[in-house]
Amino acid sequence: MIKEVHIDTLEELLPLLTEQEYRADLDRNRSPYVYRGMQDASFKMFTSLSRNCKGRQKHLEPAILENFAKYAINDEPSIGHSVWRQMILGQHYGLPTRLLDWTQSALVGLNFAMTEENLEEMDKHDCMVWRINMSEMVDHLPEPYKYAVNKKHSTIFTVDMLKELTGNSLKQYDADMGDSSMVIIEPPSLNQRIINQHSFFAVVPMGIEDIEGFLDRNTEDTVKYVIDKNLRWRVRDMLDQLNMSERIVYPGLEGLSKWIARHYYVK
């Protein structure tokens, strides 16, 4: 079930920024959540592969990854023998993939929710931050996957774990997941952007065509935080003060330029 929470004041953001669980075995607080910021609360969750290839994504995905690996291998030799590395690297360069971006940082999630290419749209519509519980996602996995991740005392998969479980086969992954489960993977640190964004990915199987419907049917701790459009500039300015901006999430001259352009934008 998806719970929808509306945020109209800065004070109402506090639970989103501070939610953690106490771990008695560690005597520490740890967060089981990952977040996804979206700039318009009316947007639906789709992978870039489904947006790009529509109903033919299952047939076109192998060709997309094969061609990416063929031409990108000189820049990143490690992708040659791993379909999962091909996806992860491609995702960060705009390749259509079945991966859905998440982050372990609520601040990074908020940053993406407050991002607009056209700043005139900032106060024209509400935005949102999704939150899912990684432990809940593990509960729905097939037993071999559940055993593998529990053996690591974790809720997150690595590229190597997924490669071993699937034999590096997308068909095997889709058959294992069906329409009732999906894996959350932590990508290897292929570039600084992945590191700064605290990136995680949901590997969406072909059997799940409606991601939000899947979350509504299969989870109890999913929250959709809807942030009022009149609060967006205020939150955006607060994030800048907390050193969370384009300059951080997009390291290099691209992020620097985006940050300067927005900083000097005249409303």
Side-chain angles (χ1 to χ4, degrees), residues 49-63:
L49 182 66
S50 66
R51 285 197 307 269
N52 193 78
C53 299
K54 318 281 188 308
R56 292 187 53 78
Q57 57 178 314
K58 182 176 182 179
H59 305 287
L60 296 176
E61 182 185 38

Side-chain angles (χ1 to χ4, degrees), residues 75-140:
D75 294 300
E76 186 52 62
S78 68
I79 69 171
H81 304 292
S82 171
V83 69
W84 311 107
R85 284 179 179 266
Q86 292 163 21
M87 279 189 201
I88 289 167
L89 185 64
Q91 176 82 353
H92 276 277
Y93 287 100
L95 190 76
T97 78
R98 63 166 68 197
L99 300 179
L100 199 64
D101 292 276
W102 296 82
T103 173
Q104 197 172 26
S105 167
L107 283 176
V108 172
L110 267 180
N111 179 81
F112 283 115
M114 300 303 148
T115 298
E116 289 281 355
E117 289 298 323
N118 178 8
L119 292 172
E120 295 285 348
E121 297 292 316
M122 277 288 282
D123 53 5
K124 298 296 191 297
H125 52 78
D126 299 343
C127 63
M128 61 186 169
V129 176
W130 285 91
R131 185 203 81 187
I132 58 174
N133 188 320
M134 293 182 286
S135 297
E136 275 196 318
M137 305 304 289
V138 170
D139 291 341
H140 291 283

